[in-house]
Amino acid sequence: MRSRYYGKTILFVVLLFSYSHNLRCQQPKTLDAAELQLALKKLTVLGSVLYIAAHPDDENTALLAYLAKGRHIRAAYLSTTRGEGGQNLIGSEQGELMGVLRTQELLAARRVDGAQQFFTRAIDFGYSKTSEEALRIWNENEVLSDMVWIIRNFRPDIVITRFSLTLGGHGHHTASAILAGKAFAAAGDPSQFPEQLNDVVKPWKPKRLMFNLARFFGTPMDTVHSLNVDLGAFSPILGTSFTEIAGISRTMHKSQGFGVAQTRGPTVNYFQHTAGDSATHDLFDGINLKWSRVLGGETVGTILDDAYRSFTPNNPSAIVPLLMKAYAEMNKLNDPWIDVKRKELIDVIAACSGIWVDAIASDHSATPGSEIGVTVTALNRSTVPFNLERVSYTYQPHDSIVSMPLQDNIPTTINLKISIPSTAEPTQPYWLAEPSTIGLYHVSKRNLILLPENPHTLIVHFVLMTEQGKITLEAPVQYRWVDPVEGELYRLFEIVPDVAVNLDEKIYLFPSAKPKDISVKLRGGRPNIGGTARLVLPSGWTATPPTIPFSLMNKNDEQTVTFSVQPTDESPSGTFSVEAETESGKFSLGMTTIRYSHIPPQTVFPHAEGKLIRLNLKRKKQSIGYIMGSGDAVPTALRQVGYQVTLISDQDLSTRDLSPFDAIVAGVRAYNTRPQLKIYQQRLLDYAHAGGTYIVQYVTQQGKESEHLGPYSFTISRDRVSVEDAPVTFTDSTHPIVNVPNKITQEDFRGWVQERGLYFADTWDSSYQTILVCNDPGEPLRSGGLLVAQFGKGAYIYTGYSFFRQLPAGVPGAYRLFVNLIEYSGRRKTKN
């Protein structure tokens, strides 16, 4: 059985910047002469490729860059999942929060390589070793429906898979190839998913399905019967190769530690025919890439060819009359390509004219029923005569008539007051708006599945008129500010609740019936709001006082209230929530912001919920030193147990007296992310030798970081047990690790989430004892997930078991077992 725990739900913000419709959540970008010339060329090419794989970072960024910027093709990557199950090298995000982070990393990568991005509703539930398991948990037919829907709307000429039916190394990988093959066949069949078809969406049969061979599969590549493409080709216009672009693009996957070099020189890729028509010399053999593929489109193609040839970098606006003529002719045609090229053409017209439009809010947020000031600006930086005819925006029933000429390099500014409907919901990512299953998000509105992120909360439309006709530009409402270090920054305007309620912690342990404090931070989304806060507790639990009043005078004011929560001896474990009640209603969403330099700020609105856990838990030690690695919530969990936890800095590693710590724990991937650990490894081993307990959580195979981790040799492998409820047996049931101070039984391995563990050891010195054994179905027993060695007067422990997932998920048995690791000091005598 698969289980999934996501302690947080993140708001997914979306920005659409004026006339650069694929640029989101960053400073609006204007095209330089080289990029503008490529955009003009792209207008003349009508071809599309959809690349399909399983996760963020599975895509071939060099191929996407080659297609989008070299062949001027409409290229897109369809990631079956959003990568929720991946590890995190840069922070503590997991689950849904991780999925939002990795979604933004994919969009950052697409901004570099020029491709588009799609997702299905499938959830990355963690490592899977078989495609059968993945397809079952995802609900195969639902995900297949999504792929068919995307193919019918995107209408690719070619579908390319990263993986094959047998080559993938991961159940999700091969499952993505299986689904791609079925979707390739079903998309053109009107009897398949007929509910998708209407006057706009028709069956679509791509020309061919191909497999992008790769050397990392570990099997010989059939290059003789494959078509080859050199993705290392150099673009003189851009002054760089497509593999160099790919290096920048792929490095956006920072949470996965996927920074790569910008390769120069030949990089030959091979493509194998899977289905449909074969290609002999070129990926696009037999595919018409010209405007003649559109009925009546030859005239548009001729005009756009003339505009491309007439383009001069010093005077790009000179071709605006030609572009407007093409726009008028394009509007006479009826073909799915017209919507695509019309948007591209509007972008190019605006870029050639130096047009800038934006809509800047007076604040980054507002609540339902409130009003927000927005300053809209239109600027024409050319001699082309444009008039700003009308302005309209979301929630406005009628256009505002402006009829103002846009003079060369003179901004035209209009101040608006936009009323937010009282019925407006807080901005949330669409795929998290409804309850999901373990493997599949539920999205009621099918059209949303075509979007990688939310539609915009507020949009301003600008209608511009020239002598040749009119065009409409749009800009999302954003908030702009100037950081003294980073300079001008943007974030999307968002709707927030009147009051946000944030729990200090999500998990509260109660080893006895003694009360514990639970603190709640209330934050005002608007001025002058007051009310009462209360905890909604399961039966058998009480809070003192039952309610606490609060008063928030200014927007963004915060107030912390604290309840004393107490169980009875019979109170069961359960979930609780927080509720703030005001005159305008009840509020139970939290709010926080996640920030990384490579993605825009992400505002999070999780439900203010937590777990109250009753468990029989004994401990004796007090002081724990924790060496944070890539980021996890284990220190918070240990504090809930009652330990005094101190985070150990790099300076502490070199100079601090470590002897006062009863145990020291290295966080996940600490040896991969903290270079000082290798330098001062001997100090940590000396600490253990002198009587301390040193616990190292999992380390990945990266260079030599995984070597010499312990006092005796062992090697880290890629062995893992991905089935979270795989049976666990004891090699020695009398060992203190499974007896002292807590008696560990099979009950303690119930309710684990996502996996048992990963990066188990595969060889080790005989000085180590193995305590636990488990395995995935059909695989050998894995005993390298927990290595224990007495070392001098103390103990050294390596564990690949995923406590970093289990403790934040509130798994009782994981707490009991991890406490036993901390309490172990090399003693062999068993006592309770």
Side-chain angles (χ1 to χ4, degrees), residues 18 22 28 47 109 174 278 287 300 314 376 469 484 504 570 608 610 637 720 766 802 806 817:
S18 62
N22 64 331
T174 49
S278 297
I287 297 173
V300 174
N314 290 332
V376 300
D504 277 356
E570 291 78 27
R720 64 173 72 204
S766 59
S802 59
Q806 312 311 321
L817 179 56

Side-chain angles (χ1 to χ4, degrees), residues 366-372 393-396 418-426 457-458 493 495-496 498:
T367 58
S370 66
E371 192 175 66
I372 186 74
Y393 49 88
T394 310
Y395 304 135
Q396 183 194 29
I418 299 180
S419 296
I420 309 298
S422 59
T423 56
E425 295 290 334
T457 302
L458 286 177
F493 169 79
I495 297 173
V496 302
D498 285 8

Side-chain angles (χ1 to χ4, degrees), residues 811-829:
V811 178
Y815 275 93
R816 288 163 46 81
L817 179 56
F818 202 78
V819 166
N820 280 15
L821 300 186
I822 289 173
E823 298 290 325
Y824 182 68
S825 57
R827 297 168 298 167
R828 191 63 186 87
K829 184 179 178 180

Side-chain angles (χ1 to χ4, degrees), residues 761-793:
D762 59 352
T763 63
W764 50 86
D765 187 272
S766 59
S767 299
Y768 290 105
Q769 292 177 278
T770 59
I771 312 299
L772 305 178
V773 178
C774 59
N775 64 295
D776 279 327
E779 293 195 355
L781 293 173
R782 310 289 187 192
S783 55
L786 182 62
L787 302 182
V788 179
Q790 184 168 351
F791 183 53
K793 298 179 181 179

Side-chain angles (χ1 to χ4, degrees), residues 27 86 115 214 315 403 452 485 495 612 749 780 783 785:
Q27 182 175 356
N315 187 18
S403 295
V485 176
I495 297 173
L612 303 170
F749 295 98
S783 55

Side-chain angles (χ1 to χ4, degrees), residues 22-24 26 104 106-114 598 600:
N22 64 331
L23 299 179
R24 296 171 182 260
Q26 63 172 17
Q104 285 293 331
L106 267 180
L107 293 173
R110 298 296 79 79
R111 289 193 284 270
V112 174
D113 57 42
H598 64 302

Side-chain angles (χ1 to χ4, degrees), residues 62 115 243 250 278 291 295 409 508 530 615 649 660 668 712 770 777 795 799 832:
T243 46
R250 191 158 184 77
S278 297
W291 271 94
L295 182 63
N409 209 32
Y508 291 87
L615 77 166
S649 67
V668 295
Y712 314 108
T770 59
T799 178
N832 290 302

